């Protein structure tokens, strides 16, 4: 049985004070919840306060992005070494908003994935098709291209610490959720490909999350699908009550 991961992607929301306020309200709501792994991904400026606020609890903390080099003249970037140094444990990579607005490519996602693994950060690697790709029947082709490039150089034994997030771009922030069946089908495509390239054991170990308008009302139906190993939640993770309801779907 794969332990599910329920992760919050706060995107560019919350000051450090607001992040701290969230944690204070959220922790009592999920105390002793160990059925699932819980991860909060605030913006970089709130990482340290959130890490301090959850210390000793069942909640882990990750960044929303990083660069793939340890240090250097890369103005504005954060390195895996820096994330490790403040005890972040996870990092979201290749989110569609980074691909769309900040020039992230399958190649940079691959470099970042290898860098995260090298530094023992747990990557949450995002893939997903845009609406035009789904409507023209290209979903499988897009997912396979993204996943194969992202995983170049990854070995089977690393898959247990890698999380994939299937986030159909048309479902992000739109209120349109993929049906549980649509998500299930996309997850199966991804897992079958991991099995083909890295073996069945690696495919059985890797967690594949669904993201895109996950809410308390639709979480149970999605999480009950056998191929869905958790959720990456944007908008509905900003409120402690709402995110706690998703955690406890
Ligand atoms: P929403 O839950 O707001 O649709 O965002 C999903 C997402 O992008 C999580 O990474």
């Amino acid at each position: 049985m794969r332990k599910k991961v329920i992760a919050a992607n706060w995107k560019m929301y919350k000051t450090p004070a607001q992040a701290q306020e969230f944690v204070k309200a959220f922790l009592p709501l999920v105390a002793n919840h160990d059925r699932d792994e819980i991860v909060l991904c605030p913006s970089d400026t709130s990482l340290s306060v959130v890490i301090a606020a959850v210390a000793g609890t069942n909640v882990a903390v990750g960044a929303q992005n990083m660069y793939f080099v340890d240090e250097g003249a890369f103005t504005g970037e954060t390195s895996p070494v820096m994330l490790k140094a403040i005890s972040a444990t996870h990092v979201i990579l290749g989110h569609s908003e980074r691909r769309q607005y900040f020039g992230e490519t399958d190649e940079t996602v691959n470099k970042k994935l290898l860098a995260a693994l090298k530094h023992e950060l747990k990557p949450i690697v995002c893939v997903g098709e845009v609406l035009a790709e789904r409507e023209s029947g290209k979903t499988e082709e897009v997912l396979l291209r993204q996943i194969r490039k992202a995983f170049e150089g990854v070995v089977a034994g690393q898959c247990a610490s890698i999380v994939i997030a299937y986030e159909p771009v048309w479902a992000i922030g739109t209120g349109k959720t993929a049906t549980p069946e649509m998500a299930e089908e996309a997850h199966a495509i991804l897992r079958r490909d991991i099995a083909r390239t890295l073996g069945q054991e690696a495919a059985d170990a890797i967690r594949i999350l669904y993201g895109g308008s996950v809410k308390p009302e639709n979480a149970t139906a999605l999480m009950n699908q056998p191929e869905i190993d958790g959720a990456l939640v944007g908008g509905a993770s900003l409120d402690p009550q709402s995110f706690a309801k998703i955690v406890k779907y």
Side-chain angles (χ1 to χ4, degrees), residues 213-232:
S213 298
V214 176
K215 296 179 178 55
E217 300 75 50
N218 59 28
T220 308
L222 288 160
M223 294 309 114
N224 282 340
Q225 296 292 318
E227 290 290 340
I228 300 185
D229 307 316
L232 182 56

Side-chain angles (χ1 to χ4, degrees), residues 7-11 13 92 95-97 124 126 165 167-169 171-176 210-215 231-238 246:
N9 174 10
W10 287 349
K11 309 192 178 185
Y13 291 97
I92 298 172
H95 191 279
S96 66
E97 286 148 16
I124 302 174
C126 302
E167 299 209 312
V169 180
I172 296 178
T174 57
K176 286 186 204 150
Y210 169 77
S213 298
V214 176
K215 296 179 178 55
L232 182 56
V233 188
S237 74
L238 293 169
I246 295 172

Side-chain angles (χ1 to χ4, degrees), residues 31-51:
N32 307 317
H33 182 94
D34 47 29
R35 181 192 60 184
D36 312 279
E37 284 177 31
I38 306 170
V39 187
L40 300 178
C41 300
S43 59
D44 281 1
T45 51
S46 293
L47 277 172
S48 290
V49 292
V50 173
I51 288 166

Side-chain angles (χ1 to χ4, degrees), residues 26-132:
F26 179 67
L27 287 180
L29 303 175
V30 297
N32 307 317
H33 182 94
D34 47 29
R35 181 192 60 184
D36 312 279
E37 284 177 31
I38 306 170
V39 187
L40 300 178
C41 300
S43 59
D44 281 1
T45 51
S46 293
L47 277 172
S48 290
V49 292
V50 173
I51 288 166
V54 303
T57 72
N58 53 339
V59 176
V61 181
Q64 298 175 13
N65 178 39
M66 65 169 204
Y67 198 48
F68 49 81
V69 172
D70 291 1
E71 63 177 7
F74 301 101
T75 301
E77 294 295 311
T78 300
S79 86
V81 175
M82 293 167 182
L83 295 179
K84 281 298 280 187
I86 59 166
S87 304
T89 50
H90 292 68
V91 61
I92 298 172
L93 299 175
H95 191 279
S96 66
E97 286 148 16
R98 299 228 48 97
R99 294 177 190 256
Q100 187 180 353
Y101 305 124
F102 303 103
E104 192 85 78
T105 63
D106 294 337
E107 284 72 26
T108 57
V109 175
N110 173 243
K111 288 183 175 151
K112 291 178 179 190
L113 173 54
L114 297 177
L117 292 171
K118 179 178 144 200
H119 291 283
E120 296 179 331
L121 287 161
K122 290 185 184 161
I124 302 174
V125 187
C126 302
V127 295
E129 80 287 359
V130 302
L131 186 61

